[in-house]
Amino acid sequence: MSEETAQTRTIAVDLVARVEGEGALRITVKGDAVQDVELRIFEPPRFFEAFLQGRHYEEVPDIVARICGICPVAYQMSAVHALEQIFGIRVEGALRDLRRLIYCGEWIESHALHVYMLQAPDFLGYESGIAMAKDHAAMVTRGLRLKKAGNAIMTLLGGRSVHPVSVKVGGFSRVPLRRELEGLKDELLWARDAAVETVRWVAGFDYPEFSPDYNYVALRHPDEYPFNEGQIIASSGLQLTVNEFEEHFTEHQVAYSTALHCALHGSPYLVGPLARVNLNREHLTPLAKQVLADQEIALPLRNPFHGIIARSIEILYALEESLRLIEWYEPPPVPAAPITVRPGIGMACTEAPRGILYHRYEVDGDGIVREAKIVPPTSQNQSRIEQDLRLYMPRLLSLPEKEAALACERVIRCYDPCISCATHFLNLEIKRESGT
Amino acid sequence: MRGDDAVGLLAARRLRQDLGDRAEVIEAEMAGVDIVEFMKGVRVGILIDAARSRQRPGTIHRLDASTGPIAVGMFPSSSHALGVSEALELARVLGVLPKTVIVYGIEVGHTEAGQPLSPQVAKALDEVVSVVIQECDACHA
């Protein structure tokens, strides 16, 4: 659709975009200058914070799992760790390992879906994963089987692959038998090899030259690649505990979006696989490091389009970690640590597939949630996405509108944004104002 | 449960009870691309989902996906939860679509969280369950 006046030119493109949630992008261009970039989000998951008020703490993991169909474990993990901080519990041993394992399952399924079905079509020149499947059926079949391997871990540990039900404060409602976990091994071994092939595959894509100056933010643990624990660090040198999050990261409203934007000391920053890989590269496995070296991929990765490489490496990491955890597994004596309720405030940050996910809860002496705060990764990346589009847009100005719009979408998809789980299209509008 | 949006899951639960081992019943909540997996090795696939096409709540759509695509707009899709229509097309492209695939879409009214089915949709649920049982029995005849 195109409307033209003497002063302005507005182009609106309705398209089914491979991003999650209800949103729109409006870019205003004046002459050769990008005036404004607004990523509008209409339905963020934040109303869940109000939903949680007045609910018993035991209900929290099941409620927050409903925020997202693709990363429910992340919401559950941030929630249980924050609540356990209040109750003075630290989950260790096999229960801790099982939490890492279920998180591996989520990363595998989420990343495999994004790599194969959502972002690969951008590099291979297809409008969708279905269109790509016509010419690359073997690749898509491999991607779906990889995703299924992640699903299998989540189903075994969580009771089902979507909105798992067994995660609880203190541990799980049920833990697997050793032979149940061993039953996953053959498929995970296949998946590990497929993950190596995935890294090689995406390493061969053509990437546009684009390297913004990012401030990467991720968790960092002294001994392991981060899932549930660690300090928050930034490439700018910042290092803080999770409890200090709100002193440094502030959310603010923008008029055009119902989602809050989060900034670090007032500036955009980047969370997600690219940030994680760059800030935790020494904790990658020897095989992951070797595959990267074989492909002559040097870390840190500075191009947002290389997010697909970071995701592929994390699929490989998560599969190797899953196999290690299964190998070492001895069922814990009890499926969950006993809880003694006490009032207080607790915070936790875990690494969702798309980046750090912060939760804070205040509960009273009866275990009732009085306040909840949730800062999802996509909210944190919003300003960074807008900044990337500002930087990327000038090279698109000479393109026909449709091509420019598709190129903007490709930039947005680098972030695998999960805006919400409501309706599902992006309305992209480029407004051109005549230069003065 | 989100009001009428739960109609597919409720149908699956009723059918599991009524059909016993005469059919495999899967509650595929937000299944997306996983539908492709469910299709593998199946001779006749029947999918039941909430639909929205601006018709009267409780309207039952019976769509045959065996030989060609069904309307995309009726079953909302997204990247992370591919809609029924797209998932079936992906299965078709990958060569795993069953010979016969029927999709029942039940037109929803309200979809607010925590609400029960509206009376019109509850009635449609009864009807679809009854018809699907007949279709399953016909497959075994």
Side-chain angles (χ1 to χ4, degrees):
Chain A
M1 191 173 70
S2 178
E3 291 172 27
E4 264 183 76
T5 69
Q7 297 300 314
T8 64
R9 190 172 176 209
T10 304
I11 300 99
V13 185
D14 289 334
L15 37 84
V16 177
R18 282 166 271 134
V19 301
E20 175 68 24
E22 185 175 352
L25 176 67
R26 184 191 175 96
I27 297 176
T28 306
V29 179
K30 196 166 190 172
D32 290 336
V34 179
Q35 295 287 26
D36 220 356
V37 176
E38 295 178 350
L39 181 61
R40 301 163 171 200
I41 292 176
F42 308 128
E43 197 173 341
R46 307 188 63 80
F47 50 77
F48 273 86
E49 295 169 337
F51 250 2
L52 289 161
Q53 286 177 23
R55 308 304 287 255
H56 193 262
Y57 80 87
E58 288 179 339
E59 295 178 277
V60 172
D62 288 343
I63 294 173
V64 296
R66 296 271 161 184
I67 291 174
C68 182
I70 195 74
C71 53
V73 168
Y75 282 91
Q76 292 185 317
M77 289 297 128
S78 288
V80 295
H81 284 89
L83 291 163
E84 285 160 7
Q85 188 184 68
I86 298 173
F87 303 141
I89 292 174
R90 204 173 154 77
V91 170
E92 301 282 9
L95 289 174
R96 181 183 189 276
D97 286 352
L98 287 174
R99 285 181 167 179
R100 267 182 90 74
L101 183 56
I102 194 171
Y103 228 143
C104 284
E106 180 159 286
W107 279 20
I108 294 163
E109 73 146 353
S110 177
H111 284 355
L113 183 67
H114 190 260
V115 167
Y116 279 88
M117 295 303 294
L118 310 185
Q119 208 179 7
D122 284 342
F123 293 103
L124 298 178
Y126 296 93
E127 63 174 11
S128 70
I130 298 169
M132 190 179 90
K134 287 178 183 160
D135 296 334
H136 299 275
M139 292 295 115
V140 171
T141 300
R142 184 172 75 189
L144 295 182
R145 190 170 163 189
L146 261 174
K147 180 181 184 295
K148 194 181 167 199
N151 284 0
I153 296 172
M154 291 175 68
T155 303
L156 179 57
L157 297 189
R160 54 187 187 175
S161 65
V162 179
H163 307 317
V165 290
S166 70
V167 172
K168 61 184 285 189
V169 179
F172 291 83
S173 57
R174 178 193 179 274
V175 293
L177 303 171
R178 191 171 159 72
R179 66 177 159 76
E180 288 178 302
L181 282 183
E182 283 180 344
L184 296 173
K185 266 173 73 175
D186 286 349
E187 189 61 11
L188 295 179
L189 284 166
W190 171 86
R192 183 187 60 188
D193 293 344
V196 170
E197 292 306 314
T198 303
V199 178
R200 291 179 181 151
W201 182 52
V202 300
F205 291 167
D206 281 333
Y207 293 94
E209 292 290 330
F210 187 46
S211 299
D213 185 17
Y214 288 131
N215 189 15
Y216 302 104
V217 173
L219 288 186
R220 185 179 166 78
H221 187 280
D223 307 319
E224 61 194 15
Y225 205 78
F227 281 97
N228 287 309
E229 295 168 22
Q231 288 203 310
I232 298 169
I233 66 162
S235 51
S236 62
L238 184 76
Q239 189 167 338
L240 44 109
T241 66
V242 170
N243 285 21
E244 296 172 304
F245 180 92
E246 291 179 59
E247 294 168 29
H248 299 266
F249 295 83
T250 48
E251 292 181 294
H252 61 278
Q253 281 186 315
V254 290
Y256 52 83
S257 177
T258 52
L260 297 176
H261 280 210
C262 195
L264 171 55
H265 301 151
S267 297
Y269 60 100
L270 181 80
V271 300
L274 206 63
R276 265 195 309 260
V277 164
N278 286 342
L279 296 174
N280 293 281
R281 52 189 186 264
E282 72 272 29
H283 290 313
L284 289 173
T285 57
L287 176 60
K289 288 176 183 169
Q290 186 59 49
V291 173
L292 282 172
D294 291 346
Q295 299 304 311
E296 299 180 350
I297 298 169
L299 299 177
L301 299 168
R302 301 188 187 282
N303 182 337
F305 291 94
H306 288 160
I308 195 169
I309 297 174
R311 275 186 192 87
S312 302
I313 278 291
E314 286 194 336
I315 294 172
L316 175 57
Y317 174 82
L319 283 159
E320 287 195 275
E321 180 68 353
S322 299
L323 286 162
R324 184 187 73 82
L325 292 166
I326 290 171
E327 196 64 41
W328 289 18
Y329 180 64
E330 289 296 336
V334 290
I339 305 293
T340 304
V341 172
R342 65 187 194 197
I345 297 173
M347 302 86 156
C349 207
T350 70
E351 283 284 2
R354 286 155 199 79
I356 57 170
L357 168 61
Y358 174 79
H359 283 215
R360 169 169 54 78
Y361 296 92
E362 180 178 358
V363 301
D364 66 16
D366 296 321
I368 304 298
V369 175
R370 290 296 158 208
E371 197 183 347
K373 183 182 178 71
I374 296 172
V375 185
T378 294
S379 158
Q380 299 178 66
N381 274 340
Q382 272 182 98
S383 297
R384 192 56 254 182
I385 296 172
E386 289 181 350
Q387 186 68 8
D388 273 10
L389 288 164
R390 258 181 223 108
L391 296 170
Y392 200 71
M393 197 63 205
R395 71 177 75 182
L396 307 178
L397 291 176
S398 60
L399 292 179
E401 305 303 341
K402 193 176 176 187
E403 280 182 40
L406 288 173
C408 289
E409 273 194 275
R410 290 187 195 113
V411 172
I412 295 170
R413 272 196 289 274
C414 291
Y415 288 82
D416 189 14
C418 186
I419 293 168
S420 74
C421 296
T423 55
H424 314 288
F425 65 89
L426 179 76
N427 179 354
L428 177 59
E429 181 179 313
I430 301 174
K431 184 176 178 183
R432 291 177 190 267
E433 295 181 345
S434 55
T436 54
Chain B
M1 293 293 187
R2 294 185 60 156
D4 293 340
D5 198 25
V7 67
L9 290 179
L10 294 172
R13 286 171 196 175
R14 291 261 296 273
L15 286 167
R16 178 178 293 121
Q17 204 168 17
D18 294 348
L19 285 168
D21 59 5
R22 284 180 289 163
E24 184 186 1
V25 179
I26 298 171
E27 289 177 40
E29 194 180 0
M30 291 189 69
V33 295
D34 297 339
I35 288 175
V36 176
E37 205 58 42
F38 301 144
M39 294 287 118
K40 286 183 181 167
V42 171
R43 188 166 56 91
V44 179
I46 299 175
L47 288 82
I48 306 167
D49 196 8
R52 182 163 266 172
S53 63
R54 296 183 181 175
Q55 295 195 41
R56 186 176 47 78
T59 302
I60 298 168
H61 309 275
R62 185 182 186 279
L63 307 164
D64 189 342
S66 312
T67 53
I70 57 169
V72 170
M74 195 177 283
F75 304 98
S77 64
S78 79
S79 58
H80 297 148
L82 212 65
V84 169
S85 332
E86 288 100 335
L88 291 176
E89 288 319 298
L90 184 56
R92 195 190 311 277
V93 168
L94 295 176
V96 297
L97 197 71
K99 196 173 170 206
T100 304
V101 183
I102 303 298
V103 180
Y104 281 96
I106 301 172
E107 196 77 17
V108 297
H110 68 82
T111 54
E112 291 80 25
Q115 296 300 308
L117 289 188
S118 58
Q120 307 96 309
V121 174
K123 187 165 169 286
L125 169 65
D126 291 343
E127 207 173 312
V128 165
V129 167
S130 167
V131 172
V132 169
I133 289 171
Q134 286 172 32
E135 294 208 34
C136 286
D137 288 342
C139 289
H140 289 281

